[in-house]
Amino acid sequence: MARGVAAKKSVRQAKPPYVLDEQVGFILRQVWQRHSAIFARDIGTNLTPTQWAALSKLAETGPCSQNQLGRLTAMDVATIKGVIDRLSARGLTETSQDPEDGRRLLVSLTRAGQQLAEKVAPNALAITRETLAPLDAKEREMLMALLNKLR
């Protein structure tokens, strides 16, 4: 009888084949949650990470189609449409016909959108620094290189 209990104990103590805490997706999600909390606390305005991605990419590249903006910011069609609709409702983006292709609309920053992007950029850089703060300079460089390799 005692032998059967001991056998059951050793089975329970064996490491399971899948440990959630050791999985890359789970760890990335936890890191994203930490980053999102820092972002929400420190962005300094009422912007979501996806709205900031669209604003900052438009500030970087200038006007582009909504479809192209979605690709540049890794957002699907429905997500980028909702983001641009909300930014336009706030007067931060606008659409106009593409002079080279009248069937396509270009999304661009309004003056208010450009000013907000310039104002918020230092906060966004500080958010990145805080997210990476537990790492030393070499580790930060290595992490960014590895993450870029994975995408």
Side-chain angles (χ1 to χ4, degrees), residues 2 9 28 30 38 42 45 47 58 65 95 98 113 143-144:
K9 259 189 174 179
L28 288 171
Q30 289 177 313
I38 295 166
D42 294 348
T45 188
L47 287 173
L58 285 170
S65 72
T95 57
D98 184 339
L143 175 65
M144 293 306 293

Side-chain angles (χ1 to χ4, degrees), residues 9-150:
K9 259 189 174 179
S10 67
V11 169
R12 276 191 229 135
Q13 291 176 356
K15 183 177 176 182
Y18 186 93
V19 177
L20 183 63
D21 289 342
E22 296 173 359
Q23 305 310 309
V24 66
F26 183 67
I27 294 166
L28 288 171
R29 194 181 83 186
Q30 289 177 313
V31 171
W32 171 249
Q33 288 170 335
R34 180 175 165 269
H35 173 76
S36 294
I38 295 166
F39 182 93
R41 185 193 70 209
D42 294 348
I43 195 62
T45 188
N46 187 23
L47 287 173
T48 66
T50 53
Q51 290 170 346
W52 170 243
L55 280 178
S56 65
K57 187 52 82 173
L58 285 170
E60 178 186 336
T61 65
C64 64
S65 72
Q66 188 169 288
N67 190 301
Q68 175 68 11
L69 184 60
R71 286 193 303 274
L72 292 171
T73 57
M75 290 184 228
D76 62 44
V77 173
T79 301
I80 193 64
K81 181 184 181 336
V83 166
I84 295 305
D85 287 350
R86 286 185 288 284
L87 292 173
S88 292
R90 291 176 60 183
L92 300 173
T93 59
E94 61 190 0
T95 57
S96 60
Q97 271 196 322
D98 184 339
E100 296 176 16
D101 183 348
R103 298 168 297 170
R104 184 171 44 193
L105 290 177
L106 296 178
V107 179
S108 59
L109 294 177
T110 62
R111 174 170 278 158
Q114 182 66 42
Q115 289 171 342
L116 184 61
E118 290 169 7
K119 177 184 169 192
V120 171
N123 297 15
L125 288 168
I127 290 163
T128 296
R129 281 192 302 274
E130 184 170 343
T131 298
L132 297 174
L135 307 176
D136 65 33
K138 188 173 182 174
E139 290 170 328
R140 287 191 297 272
E141 187 178 316
M142 173 80 69
L143 175 65
M144 293 306 293
L146 292 170
L147 288 173
N148 278 307
K149 192 172 183 178
L150 288 174

